[in-house]
Amino acid sequence: MQSQSRYNMYEVIHKALRARLSRTLVAIGQLDVDDEPSLRELEAEVATTLAMMRGHLASENAFVHTAMEARAPGSTRRIAEEHAHHEDDIDVLAAACATLVAAAPGEREPLAQRLYVMFDLFVQDNLTHMRHEEDHHNAVLWAMYSDAEILAIEQALVAALPPEKKALYLHAMLPAVPTRDRAKLLGGLRQALPPEAFAGLYASVLPLLDAPAQRHLAAALGEPVALADAA
């Protein structure tokens, strides 16, 4: 079980990844294989989700695992091996999606069913994987690092992301977390960005939320409710 008194760097990003994986699985299951626009939308959906998963693996390897191994050698061995398997899985899923998209209409149905089963197994594997990280990797981090040090690791990880990746993860995180975390994420960005840039960012993320969530976020940030309602 997680300690509620310690900083959990996995919490928000893993909620986002769980939501994104679930969304993509549902999209595959809903696909009308004879509808070309739907097929292209699914192609983009799968590509975006797989890119997010690949990027997350790379970031954890470079920053979180490096920090853990520095003070607890061998503590990342199991998850590092799973990361390598997940990289292979991502390649296989990308190829399966490409095969589906390139297939003639009469050949798509079994390929779509195959992609659904493969992606479902990928989701199941990642859910187990993330739970292990949250329980066992957090235990190592909390034993070896202070909360300030853990936050510094996370900040270095985020700083290394290119702007387009930061935006992609932000758009995945905001709908997946409660108002307090949305306000924390956007509050930090408001401090870091010029007012005009933050206003544009804020307007761009509001459509991700329903009307009540927009109002709650506006209240938490002290932003005009009218701006939230405008979405």
Side-chain angles (χ1 to χ4, degrees):
M1 296 296 291
Q2 297 173 12
S3 169
Q4 297 303 310
S5 63
R6 295 299 307 274
Y7 185 69
N8 180 1
M9 71 160 68
Y10 290 107
E11 183 177 12
V12 172
I13 184 59
H14 278 187
K15 283 184 177 180
L17 295 179
R18 286 182 175 102
R20 183 78 200 198
L21 287 166
S22 300
R23 162 182 152 169
T24 303
L25 180 63
V26 170
I28 297 170
Q30 292 174 334
L31 177 67
D32 292 322
V33 295
D34 296 326
D35 184 66
E36 295 294 336
S38 294
L39 192 63
R40 297 301 170 183
E41 288 176 8
L42 180 70
E43 181 182 26
E45 170 74 16
V46 170
T48 299
T49 299
L50 294 182
M52 289 178 63
M53 299 304 296
R54 193 187 298 278
H56 181 64
L57 294 176
S59 293
E60 284 191 342
N61 289 344
F63 292 92
V64 184
H65 289 196
T66 297
M68 292 172 63
E69 289 294 329
R71 297 188 185 178
S75 59
T76 69
R77 185 177 296 114
R78 167 181 165 171
I79 291 298
E81 291 175 356
E82 291 184 9
H83 279 192
H85 290 307
H86 289 173
E87 288 277 2
D88 292 340
D89 292 341
I90 289 168
D91 290 338
V92 170
L93 285 166
C97 186
T99 299
L100 168 62
V101 171
E107 301 172 348
R108 290 175 186 162
E109 188 63 42
L111 294 172
Q113 293 173 355
R114 174 174 175 264
L115 179 61
Y116 183 84
V117 171
M118 293 169 62
F119 202 89
D120 176 53
L121 293 172
F122 183 68
V123 171
Q124 293 182 49
D125 193 22
N126 273 275
L127 294 180
T128 301
H129 173 89
M130 287 188 282
R131 173 51 54 202
H132 183 87
E133 289 179 325
E134 289 160 4
D135 290 343
H136 298 280
H137 279 208
N138 266 333
V140 173
L141 288 165
W142 293 335
M144 299 297 171
Y145 289 92
S146 68
D147 282 356
E149 289 175 316
I150 294 170
L151 181 60
I153 295 166
E154 182 184 53
Q155 289 172 336
L157 184 161
V158 173
L161 295 173
E164 64 274 13
K165 285 289 181 67
K166 289 179 183 176
L168 181 62
Y169 288 116
L170 179 65
H171 279 66
M173 288 188 286
L174 285 179
V177 298
T179 300
R180 69 173 186 277
D181 290 328
R182 293 169 185 162
K184 184 177 179 180
L185 288 165
L186 291 175
L189 290 169
R190 181 165 57 183
Q191 292 181 348
L193 296 173
E196 301 81 6
F198 176 74
L201 173 67
Y202 184 54
S204 75
V205 299
L206 284 176
L208 301 171
L209 308 174
D210 61 22
Q214 290 180 26
R215 290 193 293 272
H216 294 156
L217 178 59
L221 288 171
E223 292 287 341
V225 176
L227 178 58
D229 290 341

